[in-house]
Amino acid sequence: MSTPRAEHEAALALLAAVPYGRLALTREALPHMAVTRHIVTPDGHLILRTHKGWDIHRSADGAVVAYVADNTASGQPEAWAVQLTGTAYAMTPTRAQRMRFGEQPAAADGVPFEPVYLRIEPGYATSYRVSGLPQ
């Protein structure tokens, strides 16, 4: 399944507006979700930074995954959510890409944060919007 180009680009633009989302994948045949930091590349891929100790990068490498991000905690009068699915690959980002992530967390689950990276090649991306939210 592919997404019309305009819808795909609009979804990526929304993803670029927030720094974190949730990666959905399967681990040992069970659904699994984890919070990750992301950046959108100029060529339309998503690069995720996650903690090596969570071992997500091994389960996701070569697998079809879903990624979801939203602005629902922003208090804005319009809420949106983006869902992107595609194949994830373990990767080593360039120095420029690492710089775009900014500082990394000090710890994850009480141990020093050790970054690992995944690139998602999007196959499908869509967004949902709700406006006129009561304040």
Side-chain angles (χ1 to χ4, degrees), residues 91-116:
M91 55 96 66
T92 301
T94 65
R95 183 179 189 287
Q97 289 167 335
R98 284 192 313 273
M99 297 294 287
R100 287 186 56 205
F101 278 100
E103 290 187 44
Q104 67 188 34
D109 295 331
V111 299
F113 186 87
E114 187 175 349
V116 289

Side-chain angles (χ1 to χ4, degrees), residues 22-34 56 59-60 64-66:
R22 290 161 300 286
L23 175 66
L25 63 148
T26 57
R27 292 181 78 175
E28 300 178 14
L30 296 172
H32 183 82
M33 295 204 49
I56 293 167
S59 299
V64 174
V65 300

Side-chain angles (χ1 to χ4, degrees), residues 29-90:
L30 296 172
H32 183 82
M33 295 204 49
V35 65
T36 65
R37 171 82 167 90
H38 67 266
I39 61 170
V40 178
T41 65
D43 62 354
H45 292 97
L46 203 61
I47 299 177
L48 311 179
R49 179 180 70 191
T50 187
H51 175 55
K52 184 177 183 178
W54 292 341
D55 207 29
I56 293 167
H57 59 292
R58 289 188 214 211
S59 299
D61 189 24
V64 174
V65 300
Y67 193 75
V68 177
D70 60 56
N71 76 332
T72 57
S74 69
Q76 298 294 317
E78 178 180 87
W80 57 261
V82 170
Q83 177 181 323
L84 178 143
T85 58
T87 305
Y89 297 98

